Amino acid sequence: MTAPEIASETNTTPAAKTSWRDSFAVYLQPRVLIVLFLGFSSGLPLALSGSTLLVWMREAGVDLGTIGLFALVGTPYTLKFLWAPLVDALHVPLFTTRFGRRRGWLLFSQLLLIATILLLAITDPARSPPFVALAALLVATASSTQDIVVDAFRVESLPESEQAAGMASYVAAYRIGMLVSTAGALFIVSGFESTGLARSAAWMWGYVVMAAMVLIGTVTALLATEPEQSIRAEAKTHAEAAFVRVLHAATGAFTEFLTRKDAMAALAFVVLFKFTDAFSGTMTAPFVIDLGFSRNDYATIVKGVGLAATLIGGFAGGFVARRYSLAASLLIGGSLQAVANLSFSWLALSGTSHWALALAITTENFTSAIGTVIFVAYLSALCQNPLHTATQYALLTALAAVGRTYLSSGAGFVAKAAGWPLFFVICVLVAVPSLILLAWLDRRGHFEALGPVKV
């Protein structure tokens, strides 16, 4: 998930009280509505190279070990910080001149996304897994580039009074986009199959429909206006050479962060905190299919009931973060998301029971959302320099994706060797290193140095 759910606020001036009408009206502001639709566009492609693709591969008879290795196609989400300075500093020929610095990159990345999803649609997992991997890798690259631009556009286009509403709208739409590309895509594939299409053809047309969905973000980018902050930044750096702009954006962000106390330990914690989720999440779709549940069962329960649990868990995570210190909140969130994996061990022993699946998924998604909300609060607190926020945030979220992309790539082999009940017990144990690092950083005063974090 890649998805941001918290904004760090540094302004300590008490906010003026507003009526409920004013609070609601801010969500109808054109700028906020633009961010909402861009959130949908950001959430849509993630599953197309992830969980939805894994269901397609499992139905095509691809080996579990190979499916586990497909976590590596998420590499662009891990390395996107490397080209985030390029997105900040370079111009896209024709696009930037015609649409502006941010909108030009938005439209360019979305057109790339449509093309790569269509390429993935014509692949055959049963016959050419390497070609599928290449196409999925290209989808992830275009998607992560879009994420970089949308994050920058959101921050630059909204005034402070609309940032919270914009963030809430973005997150909700992001989740809906993920729902469309998971449950929605699976239902669409089933619908095509019901018309008499072969399974491979049904999957192809399902991905074609998903490519068409990207046009929602494209139309949004066309209707949007270039952020004033972006226009001013472009005017200020216009005289600089492209290489100089890229160098300033990259070096400033990295050196400012790495000179902090215990920087390497903090980065290791960023990598490991969500590893327990990533390790189990990589194999959730194959696990459900192997238990004997149908594709529609997976779509309805895992992505339907699971979405509701995630949204409720997000509110619960916000409550925890407001009630306790950042270190204590991270401990609560990290422990809950780890222990929740035991619900899958119980499900593996229960057999094909729909209510048991719903309960396990609800437990896992609810606790995972709590951990995610608190974790994003921590990432936001680490990005304290407004000159480098975009690049630093891209770096931190990319590091957080290391667990999902690389460390979890062997999950299929572990599941194959250990069996499903024991595999999810192992998923609990892989959370221990992050909790140890959390305690060590807390004793070193790391979290106190970050100051107060507001949700």
Side-chain angles (χ1 to χ4, degrees):
M1 158 184 356
T2 189
E5 297 173 36
I6 301 174
S8 176
E9 299 179 7
T10 57
N11 185 9
T12 57
T13 304
K17 292 184 178 180
T18 58
S19 68
W20 68 269
R21 292 180 184 275
D22 293 332
S23 300
F24 176 75
V26 70
Y27 289 94
L28 301 180
Q29 292 295 320
R31 291 179 296 260
V32 176
L33 292 175
I34 290 292
V35 168
L36 183 146
F37 285 106
L38 289 179
F40 175 87
S41 186
S42 289
L44 183 72
L46 182 62
L48 299 180
S49 60
S51 60
T52 301
L53 179 61
L54 298 185
V55 174
W56 184 7
M57 295 181 69
R58 191 55 177 164
E59 288 191 350
V62 178
D63 178 74
L64 276 179
T66 303
I67 290 177
L69 289 175
F70 260 71
L72 296 173
V73 302
T75 294
Y77 293 105
T78 305
L79 299 181
K80 65 181 181 180
F81 68 91
L82 293 178
W83 68 89
L86 302 180
V87 174
D88 262 335
L90 298 184
H91 298 162
V92 182
L94 300 179
F95 286 84
T96 300
T97 303
R98 176 66 180 85
F99 301 104
R101 178 166 165 255
R102 296 304 185 196
R103 291 172 66 224
W105 269 103
L106 265 177
L107 290 166
F108 179 67
S109 63
Q110 287 163 353
L111 291 179
L112 285 179
L113 193 54
I114 292 172
T116 54
I117 294 173
L118 291 175
L119 178 63
L120 184 56
I122 64 174
T123 61
D124 187 344
R127 295 182 179 180
S128 55
F131 186 45
V132 176
L134 175 60
L137 185 65
L138 294 175
V139 170
T141 301
S143 174
S144 56
T145 301
Q146 180 189 228
D147 289 347
I148 294 170
V149 189
V150 170
D151 284 339
F153 183 92
R154 182 183 68 247
V155 172
E156 293 175 355
S157 64
L158 297 178
E160 184 177 351
S161 60
E162 297 175 5
Q163 283 288 344
M167 181 67 72
S169 299
Y170 176 85
V171 170
Y174 190 98
R175 296 290 183 182
I176 293 172
M178 290 181 63
L179 180 63
V180 169
S181 62
T182 48
L186 297 181
F187 280 126
I188 288 171
V189 171
S190 296
F192 280 126
E193 272 192 308
S194 67
T195 65
L197 280 178
R199 176 170 292 178
S200 59
W203 275 105
M204 181 194 72
W205 284 108
Y207 267 71
V208 169
V209 172
M210 291 299 105
M213 290 284 187
V214 179
L215 291 173
I216 293 174
T218 305
V219 173
T220 302
L222 289 171
L223 294 176
T225 56
E226 184 71 5
E228 288 295 328
Q229 291 187 38
S230 178
I231 295 174
R232 291 195 296 268
E234 174 64 19
K236 185 176 180 180
T237 61
H238 183 73
E240 294 182 353
F243 176 77
V244 175
R245 293 199 304 268
V246 173
L247 187 64
H248 287 170
T251 58
F254 295 131
T255 56
E256 191 274 335
F257 188 89
L258 293 176
T259 53
R260 298 180 188 178
K261 177 184 176 183
D262 300 323
M264 299 310 296
L267 292 178
F269 177 71
V270 168
V271 171
L272 293 175
F273 183 76
K274 296 297 289 183
F275 179 36
T276 181
D277 269 359
F279 201 71
S280 62
T282 299
M283 303 310 297
T284 298
F287 166 62
V288 172
I289 298 299
D290 275 6
L291 284 186
F293 293 99
S294 70
R295 186 194 305 132
N296 287 350
D297 291 335
Y298 178 80
T300 302
I301 298 177
V302 176
K303 300 305 180 181
V305 175
L307 174 65
T310 298
L311 295 177
I312 296 172
F315 285 106
F319 172 80
V320 171
R322 287 193 297 269
R323 182 72 174 80
Y324 302 100
S325 68
L326 182 56
S329 299
L330 285 167
L331 177 61
I332 294 171
S335 300
L336 288 176
Q337 68 184 10
V339 174
N341 285 305
L342 295 177
S343 64
F344 286 116
S345 294
W346 168 72
L347 177 61
L349 299 174
S350 299
T352 309
S353 168
H354 289 83
W355 74 266
L357 175 62
L359 182 59
I361 291 299
T362 298
T363 301
E364 193 276 335
N365 284 20
F366 177 77
T367 56
S368 177
I370 292 175
T372 298
V373 165
I374 299 166
F375 183 55
V376 176
Y378 172 63
L379 297 184
S380 300
L382 290 175
C383 301
Q384 297 179 338
N385 191 329
L387 296 176
H388 314 304
T389 299
T391 302
Q392 284 183 341
Y393 196 83
L395 169 64
L396 293 172
T397 53
L399 286 173
V402 167
R404 182 179 72 240
T405 305
Y406 296 112
L407 301 182
S408 62
S409 62
F413 296 107
V414 176
K416 191 175 181 179
W420 291 120
L422 182 57
F423 169 74
F424 289 107
V425 174
I426 295 172
C427 292
V428 178
L429 298 178
V430 299
V432 173
S434 68
L435 298 180
I436 293 174
L437 259 180
L438 170 62
W440 187 83
L441 286 169
D442 190 28
R443 286 199 300 269
R444 297 274 294 176
H446 170 73
F447 299 102
E448 291 182 4
L450 296 178
V453 178
K454 294 185 177 181
V455 179

